[in-house]
Amino acid sequence: MKILVTGGAGYLGSTTAKALEQAGHTPVILDSLLSGPRVFVKDRAFYEGDIADRELLRRVVADHPDIEATIHMAARIVVPESVEKPYEYYRDNVAKSLELFDELVALDRPRVLFSSSASLYATKDDFEVTEEDALDPQSPYATTKRMMEQVLEDMAAATGLRAIILRYFNPVGSDPDLESGIYAREPSHVIGQLVMAARGIKDAFTITGVEHPTRDGTGIRDYIHAWDLARAHVRAVERFDDVLAAVDAPSTVINIGTGEGVTVRELVASFERVFGEKVPVREAPPRPGDAVGAFANVDKATRLLDWKTELSLDDAIASALAWGERRREILGYE
Ligand SMILES: NC(=O)c1ccc[n+]([C@@H]2O[C@H](COP(=O)([O-])OP(=O)(O)OC[C@H]3O[C@@H](n4cnc5c(N)ncnc54)[C@H](O)[C@@H]3O)[C@@H](O)[C@H]2O)c1
């Protein structure tokens, strides 16, 4: 199959493009390079431009009339920045996605897979969330994802559009050949913070929030290896029509996680095991907006996608560390 991947120069988009290729499919990349590095596109079919550029989309489909589905991953993704720049987030993630979906319907390319997020979920007593559980987006970024889920549901009900919405939990790691990964110059994500503390670049790793109602007081997440996440997309495009037939609806939402909740203290312990050194830890009160967290109930993904994760948290941490060693070679910066 030929698959249009918007945001295919990004971290997860390029990893997914690779997983598609390994399964015998052909990704076509559309990315403005707003944040994604050119080098992640490799030698794939590539259109540099905006998802809202209808003229460009028409050209992409004219060049590749055999595109069978679109994986829409292009977005602005930095939560604190979304608080500071709501206009840019609503414009790019909401208004531009609307143009993309409308043009895909006009071009008779109705199958859309959308990257949504576990950050939509309201806090639940046992932290395990199903797709039916209550939502409570806490940032403009999360709200853009919630809005686009609603848009897809409404457009699928009214037009030929068909949508599978994947709510990702917390991706960690690279592809098996370490060709793409986190590319931010100053990684704010948790593994980057742990590496800096372990290497003495920072004096300690700070656990923000130690009085949450979890088994050890720290926040809980569902860390999924980026390669397992990428493989889920392959299954979703391959089974696209069967998935919607099984749910008897023109759109549906599926959690993509491991099904295992991991607390911050447990994450630190796994990191120390894989890295082989102790990490100095400091405890601090939660920052404003820090969520206790959630982990995925993955029954729906297992049933509909015939997919489950194959890699462990230790694998994901080892992959993230290996990418950290490799990325200078690929990106030209540490
Ligand atoms: N990384 C995570 O932890 C995570 C978790 C949940 C959901 N997601 C979602 O997954 C998707 C991919 O995330 P990622 O981590 O790979 O992010 P990323 O920033 O690496 O990739 C996004 C890509 O989209 C491109 N882009 C942005 N706006 C565009 C536009 N208007 N037109 C064309 N291209 C545009 C960027 O240049 C970038 O290459 C996003 O939709 C994100 O919201 C990510």
Side-chain angles (χ1 to χ4, degrees), residues 7 9-13 30-36 49-51 73-77 96 115-117 141 145 168-169 171 183:
Y11 165 42
L12 300 175
L30 169 60
D31 197 299
S32 63
L33 304 184
L34 173 74
S35 54
D50 200 283
I51 53 166
M73 300 179 120
R76 289 181 181 260
I77 68 154
K96 289 184 176 182
S115 306
S116 190
S117 166
Y141 164 74
K145 293 290 174 186
Y168 307 164
F169 280 68
Y183 56 84

Side-chain angles (χ1 to χ4, degrees), residues 197-218:
R199 294 208 171 119
I201 301 165
K202 286 183 65 172
D203 57 350
F205 173 76
T206 306
I207 301 182
T208 50
V210 290
E211 291 179 16
H212 289 303
T214 56
R215 50 186 170 260
D216 63 16
T218 65

Side-chain angles (χ1 to χ4, degrees), residues 11-43:
Y11 165 42
L12 300 175
S14 56
T15 309
T16 298
K18 177 168 180 150
L20 286 165
E21 285 168 345
Q22 286 211 348
H25 307 298
T26 307
V28 175
I29 310 301
L30 169 60
D31 197 299
S32 63
L33 304 184
L34 173 74
S35 54
R38 175 73 182 76
V39 64
F40 280 5
V41 176
K42 301 187 70 195
D43 56 356

Side-chain angles (χ1 to χ4, degrees), residues 112-187:
V112 174
L113 216 69
F114 178 65
S115 306
S116 190
S117 166
S119 64
L120 296 192
Y121 285 110
T123 304
K124 212 180 152 199
D125 284 349
D126 66 356
F127 311 112
E128 179 176 4
V129 289
T130 74
E131 292 81 355
E132 311 305 320
D133 279 320
L135 303 178
D136 183 20
Q138 290 290 320
S139 67
Y141 164 74
T143 305
T144 67
K145 293 290 174 186
R146 176 69 198 106
M147 290 170 89
M148 292 326 295
E149 289 194 354
Q150 187 67 53
V151 163
L152 285 167
E153 195 181 312
D154 292 345
M155 284 184 77
T159 73
L161 192 87
R162 294 292 172 262
I164 297 179
I165 293 158
L166 302 180
R167 286 192 188 138
Y168 307 164
F169 280 68
N170 304 87
V172 171
S174 176
D175 64 90
D177 304 313
L178 305 175
E179 289 182 329
S180 56
I182 298 278
Y183 56 84
R185 282 176 191 268
E186 285 176 32

